[in-house]
Amino acid sequence: MAKRQEFGKEKRHIIAARAGYRCSYPDCDKLTVGPGTASETFEDNGYAAHIYAAVPKGPRGQGKLNPVQLSAVSNGIWMCGDHSSLIDKKSGIRFPANMLLGWKALHEYRTSFEQSGFKAAYGFVRELTIDNSALFTPGSEIVFAKTTFLIGPNGSGKTAICEWLTALDTSRNMWRWITHNILNYRVSFDAPLMQTLQVEAGSGALSLSLDNMAVHRNHARVSVIYVRDRGGRALPDDLARLAHLFGMDQIELKALAAMVSSDFVAALSFKRSLGTSGTPTDDLICTFPDGQVESFSQLSGGQQGMIVLELGIEQARIASQFGPTMLLVELKNLGIDWGNFATYLDYFASRQCIFQTVVTSWELPSDVEMLGWQIYRLVGPTGTVLGTIVESARGA
Ligand SMILES: [Zn+2]
């Protein structure tokens, strides 16, 4: 008989405290601690549930976790009595490990906000449900964690999902969808109360409704910053290209660039010069921490991608101080390799970072996959068969 990998009293307490002693099941939030019957006691009726199972044949299995990892705080999720038994029914098949990891991250994120006294940024994009599209089977859904990966080949719908999510903020990425077949989807989010934006596109028009009321834009504002590529469009200069990429006024972009200062790039500024034809061009000048100064156009593709990402992160960092914010990063289009991207992943997971991130890529290195991020694999449509969105079980 295999030994049960129990958390023990001390770790159970840590798991509970990290959840604020409230159930982590979405929308439950039940308080599991309170005064006991005797005046000197308290009663705690919550459960530190295992994400990966305590025994080899337990719910969800044990993945590739060793005994130490199985009994670690990171493998526990705090739940009320009802939900701790619900998630283990039928070997936990309806509640895969990465779904629970996503819930845990979301619940801890909210608890952390509440504890730190932030109010404005208390919000979260919860879920995208695709009711009708030319790409995915009806009912396909994505539950967002603090960082969510969408992994799939070209044509599998990664960009489509990014564009659909931007409708929380703006309709400017929806042009190609109104000429498409009918598209219907919903995005639920907290801002800070839960609301649902319903989007219908097709027959040349876009119609939105917010909690069943017709609107022309999402009034419960969620900032969505979409870093789709390096901004390589046929526009006259860096300023015009990057302003177009971020859907910003050029004055705004200049102000934003002046605020960027990170471990990768110490400063950004625009420099105006007169070209041979006498037309002024505004080039982006990058000053690196070692003092090196280079113009954006002289950088390698990967370095350009990092600069564009820095601009996106700076926007998200500022926006998230004032309301719910989501950063969408199309990693392959930016040309950034995983080695360089790893430092950003640490930041996205940190408490200092108070926005959500969605990262799209063709593949995920195994060391990243093992860290327990929320991962969805996209299988694109083939012929008349619609594509699917599959939650990828960690370590499976
Ligand atoms: Zn519960």
Side-chain angles (χ1 to χ4, degrees):
M1 190 81 185
K3 184 174 174 287
R4 272 187 72 83
Q5 302 301 331
E6 301 288 5
F7 295 120
K9 201 175 166 192
E10 179 61 22
K11 280 184 274 184
R12 180 183 181 280
H13 170 65
I14 298 171
I15 293 165
R18 290 181 64 90
Y21 275 94
R22 288 196 307 262
C23 178
S24 309
Y25 193 92
D27 292 334
C28 178
D29 212 36
K30 187 179 173 190
L31 189 64
T32 62
V33 72
T37 41
S39 62
E40 305 293 310
T41 61
F42 72 98
E43 201 173 303
D44 151 13
N45 55 1
Y47 291 84
H50 277 80
I51 296 173
Y52 285 98
V55 290
K57 290 198 169 155
R60 290 169 290 279
Q62 294 188 316
K64 288 175 182 163
L65 273 61
N66 61 38
V68 175
Q69 292 168 321
L70 288 167
S71 62
V73 167
S74 56
N75 191 40
I77 181 168
W78 192 252
M79 295 251 151
C80 70
D82 291 345
H83 288 127
S84 71
S85 55
L86 178 71
I87 60 166
D88 285 353
K89 290 224 167 93
K90 294 190 176 149
S91 305
I93 200 154
R94 282 177 56 211
F95 304 98
N98 70 325
M99 179 187 278
L100 300 188
L101 286 163
W103 290 354
K104 176 177 167 151
L106 173 56
H107 186 75
E108 289 189 351
Y109 178 70
R110 287 197 181 118
T111 306
S112 184
F113 260 119
E114 205 175 321
Q115 185 194 17
S116 59
F118 277 111
K119 286 198 176 60
Y122 182 74
F124 211 84
V125 179
R126 291 189 184 204
E127 197 172 337
L128 168 77
T129 309
I130 302 156
D131 295 311
N132 199 356
S133 83
L135 293 175
F136 300 107
T137 48
S140 296
E141 59 180 32
I142 296 173
V143 178
F144 297 99
K146 196 175 173 214
T147 303
T148 307
F149 289 93
L150 305 181
I151 306 299
N154 283 341
S156 61
K158 302 186 299 295
T159 297
I161 289 171
C162 289
E163 289 178 342
W164 299 346
L165 284 169
T166 64
L168 285 167
D169 188 314
T170 170
S171 297
R172 73 186 177 93
N173 297 311
M174 296 300 290
W175 280 96
R176 74 175 169 122
W177 298 104
I178 66 172
T179 54
H180 232 258
N181 296 333
I182 204 80
L183 168 68
N184 258 301
Y185 64 93
R186 287 167 281 150
V187 191
S188 61
F189 58 96
D190 304 295
L193 299 174
M194 192 173 108
Q195 292 175 296
T196 301
L197 183 73
Q198 175 113 33
V199 182
E200 187 177 320
S203 315
L206 183 73
S207 65
L208 304 175
S209 65
L210 183 59
D211 285 347
N212 298 318
M213 184 179 171
V215 290
H216 68 282
R217 51 161 292 188
N218 181 18
H219 290 271
R221 190 165 177 84
V222 177
S223 297
V224 182
I225 290 122
Y226 184 20
V227 190
R228 70 159 70 220
D229 54 34
R230 299 193 289 256
R233 279 165 205 83
L235 287 164
D237 57 19
D238 295 341
L239 183 58
R241 277 191 292 272
L242 292 167
H244 182 268
L245 172 69
F246 288 115
M248 269 188 182
D249 190 87
Q250 296 190 2
I251 294 176
E252 263 178 51
L253 182 66
K254 278 186 163 182
L256 175 74
M259 284 188 269
V260 172
S261 181
S262 71
D263 291 344
F264 176 65
V265 63
L268 291 175
S269 62
F270 284 94
K271 190 176 146 210
R272 174 160 286 199
S273 55
L274 289 176
T276 42
S277 61
T279 343
T281 58
D282 290 292
D283 297 319
L284 181 60
I285 307 298
C286 314
T287 307
F288 291 95
D290 62 2
Q292 193 116 350
V293 179
E294 304 251 19
S295 73
F296 181 75
S297 57
Q298 289 166 336
L299 299 176
S300 70
Q303 285 175 317
Q304 288 185 354
M306 303 260 286
I307 295 288
V308 173
L309 180 60
E310 291 282 354
L311 285 164
I313 289 174
E314 185 63 13
Q315 279 183 80
R317 191 187 65 77
I318 298 166
S320 64
Q321 305 295 319
F322 301 98
T325 301
M326 191 175 231
L327 176 71
L328 311 175
V329 181
E330 296 242 44
L331 202 54
K332 282 292 161 191
N333 296 350
L334 292 176
I336 302 173
D337 63 44
W338 280 103
N340 286 322
F341 193 61
T343 54
Y344 293 105
L345 283 178
D346 291 340
Y347 171 66
F348 297 151
S350 72
R351 277 191 63 169
Q352 288 72 45
C353 172
I354 55 172
F355 54 82
Q356 276 173 287
T357 308
V358 174
V359 182
T360 75
S361 188
W362 296 337
E363 81 293 298
L364 203 57
S366 56
D367 54 335
V368 172
E369 191 146 3
M370 281 304 288
L371 292 174
W373 304 92
Q374 187 89 327
I375 302 162
Y376 285 89
R377 292 194 187 277
L378 274 55
V379 181
T382 42
T384 55
V385 181
L386 290 173
T388 51
I389 300 174
V390 188
E391 283 187 78
S392 166
R394 183 179 67 150

